[in-house]
Amino acid sequence: MEDENILEYLRGRLLQGNCLHGSQQRIEGMLEPRQARCETGRLGGCQKAVYASPNCIRVPLLMAMFSPIDSSRGYRSSYSGDPLGTLVVSGENVTFQPGFVYVLPTETFTWVDGEYISYQPVFPCSVLQVTPRLLLLLPNLDLRIPVPAMYR
């Protein structure tokens, strides 16, 4: 599927009431709850759960594509700003690599302290492989991490 078509497909699925989850890994079957890295300090950011976005494409795409350059060293990746407005994306020892976006049903998800999470395993409606080229097509994304040349 072409990059523009992937974005339209994901937008359509959000409008149909689905939510999106991004991962570097291709997961077969159910997405199982796992312990999140507690960097936010918020209760919702520190749960053993499946995290998803019910209204934004950019955050799941970023989560799918953040990848350490040298995995023997520590790395940091983050975004700040409004998920529906401008996002500033930064990091250290990190780049963007292809990843996967999962389209999920919302029945088991709930809002907890600003996070959309499910404490139950979730079976995806569909899974799409995504490349960093998509990041260049998204509006209001201030990338402080360069997209690798092969994807520009």
Side-chain angles (χ1 to χ4, degrees):
M1 191 181 302
E2 295 292 320
D3 292 335
E4 292 84 0
N5 295 339
I6 289 173
L7 291 178
E8 284 307 309
Y9 174 79
L10 294 174
R11 284 186 188 107
R13 294 308 297 256
L14 288 176
L15 290 173
Q16 292 172 5
N18 294 107
C19 56
L20 305 177
H21 171 84
S23 176
Q24 269 285 299
Q25 328 244 307
R26 168 73 181 191
I27 301 164
E28 298 298 329
M30 303 285 270
L31 272 68
E32 298 286 339
R34 64 180 195 121
Q35 184 64 47
R37 288 180 260 158
C38 296
E39 298 170 4
T40 65
R42 297 186 332 262
L43 175 64
C46 299
Q47 300 292 307
K48 182 177 182 182
V50 177
Y51 287 76
S53 173
N55 57 10
C56 179
I57 293 173
R58 296 173 302 167
V59 172
L61 284 175
L62 290 168
M63 299 311 292
M65 293 187 228
F66 282 136
S67 180
I69 295 171
D70 178 356
S71 59
S72 69
R73 293 182 25 226
Y75 72 96
R76 178 186 67 77
S77 58
S78 66
Y79 57 88
S80 61
D82 181 353
L84 300 177
T86 298
L87 283 181
V88 177
V89 181
S90 61
E92 296 173 16
N93 187 36
V94 68
T95 188
F96 298 112
Q97 293 296 321
F100 298 91
V101 171
Y102 297 81
V103 176
L104 305 175
T106 57
E107 290 82 18
T108 62
F109 283 85
T110 174
W111 280 105
V112 175
D113 195 24
E115 302 279 357
Y116 206 47
I117 62 178
S118 173
Y119 297 109
Q120 299 175 24
V122 182
F123 192 81
C125 302
S126 60
V127 181
L128 297 172
Q129 185 169 23
V130 294
T131 69
R133 188 173 299 121
L134 285 172
L135 299 175
L136 302 174
L137 301 175
L138 294 171
N140 302 322
L141 201 55
D142 180 358
L143 296 174
R144 309 264 169 103
I145 303 167
V147 171
M150 66 192 299
Y151 299 111
R152 284 187 252 148

